[in-house]
Amino acid sequence: MLRSAIESGTLEPGAKLPSEAALMENFGVARMTARQAIQELRGEGLVIPEHGRGVFVRPMPPVRRLASDRFARRHRDAGKAAFIAEADKAGYQPGVDRIEISRTTATETIAERLRLTAGDEVLVRDRRYLANGRPVEIATSYLPVDIADGTPIEEPDPGPGGIYARLEEAGHTLARFSEEVGARMPTPDERTALEIGPGIPVLTVVRTAYDVNDLAVEVCDTVKVAPAYLLEYDVPAQ
């Protein structure tokens, strides 16, 4: 009944669940049954406990991610990075925090994707994305240093349109993107960063961006809260 109430919207995001005592009285169940029901909802990511206040319906807005549109040049021309363009369509307030910029040597996997030699230096951009103040995604971008060096891509705020706009300004007009999508359970560090409980899966999307010369200019490794996202792909029939 609680799950149905949440999924139908009868219990709206942010609403407080009835106490264990109320559930026992309303449904005629034992305390352990009521407690297990709440634990199951927590495991599915539908509710979150707040110490001293109770258990609340998770305020998790769905992020509709249309891959064929989110990287459209018109968004960059309008000064919008992909996440902001998605927010405008879905109606949530976007945010980004925990931005860290560093340099490191490329792993074998990243080097292969960027067509570098393992051990070559790459610029790394780590950040966390928020929807209405709640974490929904963590992302790490890797770019060849010779492309990013001396550009605003090295700054926490790369400017209007994000790093893709800066890449194009640097002469790397983007031509295509390749994505690999997977699903798994999060690591403990990912659970902490995304503020999710046990039992909630994540989606993984690894994207490689190529310019018009088929040069790989960025690899972006993202981990998304699965219940927060709807991935949509528009694939032409050929």
Side-chain angles (χ1 to χ4, degrees):
M1 293 293 292
L2 287 175
R3 184 187 293 104
S4 297
I6 293 172
E7 292 175 345
S8 68
T10 303
L11 278 174
E12 298 180 347
K16 185 177 180 180
L17 263 62
S19 66
E20 289 181 3
L23 291 174
M24 292 167 59
E25 181 178 348
N26 292 340
F27 297 103
V29 297
R31 181 177 298 276
M32 183 59 67
T33 301
R35 186 168 299 170
Q36 288 176 341
I38 294 174
Q39 285 297 110
E40 186 170 334
L41 293 175
R42 287 184 61 186
E44 294 176 14
L46 295 176
V47 301
I48 52 175
E50 294 189 14
H51 184 67
R53 297 188 62 224
V55 181
F56 296 81
V57 179
R58 188 180 183 94
M60 184 65 73
V63 181
R64 192 177 187 90
R65 182 184 183 277
L66 178 57
S68 59
D69 179 75
R70 73 191 306 264
F71 302 121
R73 185 165 288 107
R74 69 177 184 279
H75 298 315
R76 295 193 291 278
D77 291 343
K80 299 177 182 178
F83 193 69
I84 295 176
E86 289 169 348
D88 287 347
K89 287 189 175 183
Y92 61 83
Q93 181 63 41
V96 60
D97 67 0
R98 300 190 182 184
I99 304 171
E100 297 182 5
I101 315 296
S102 61
R103 294 191 181 197
T104 189
T105 54
T107 64
E108 185 175 343
T109 299
I110 295 300
E112 181 179 358
R113 292 179 183 274
L114 289 174
R115 299 170 183 168
L116 302 174
T117 300
D120 284 354
E121 191 175 31
V122 290
L123 179 78
V124 182
R125 291 182 58 90
D126 283 307
R127 64 272 194 202
R128 183 176 70 164
Y129 290 104
L130 314 173
N132 292 347
R134 296 205 65 86
V136 292
E137 173 183 335
I138 50 179
T140 303
S141 287
Y142 302 88
L143 301 98
V145 165
D146 60 355
I147 289 178
D149 189 39
T151 73
I153 295 172
E154 293 186 292
E155 302 298 325
D157 182 359
I163 64 175
Y164 288 160
R166 305 291 82 77
L167 284 169
E168 295 202 312
E169 287 175 355
H172 297 282
T173 302
L174 297 173
R176 65 184 180 93
F177 302 89
S178 174
E179 292 191 340
E180 295 181 3
V181 180
R184 59 173 172 78
M185 300 307 296
T187 66
D189 287 344
E190 290 168 347
R191 283 203 305 270
T192 298
L194 294 170
E195 299 178 6
I196 54 178
I200 301 177
V202 293
L203 299 173
T204 60
V205 181
V206 181
R207 179 179 65 254
T208 305
Y210 299 87
D211 69 8
V212 291
N213 296 313
D214 205 38
L215 178 69
V217 295
E218 182 229 22
V219 170
C220 186
D221 189 352
T222 62
V223 178
K224 307 172 185 293
V225 179
Y229 274 88
L230 174 62
L231 305 186
E232 182 178 349
Y233 292 87
D234 185 3
V235 181
Q238 297 180 358

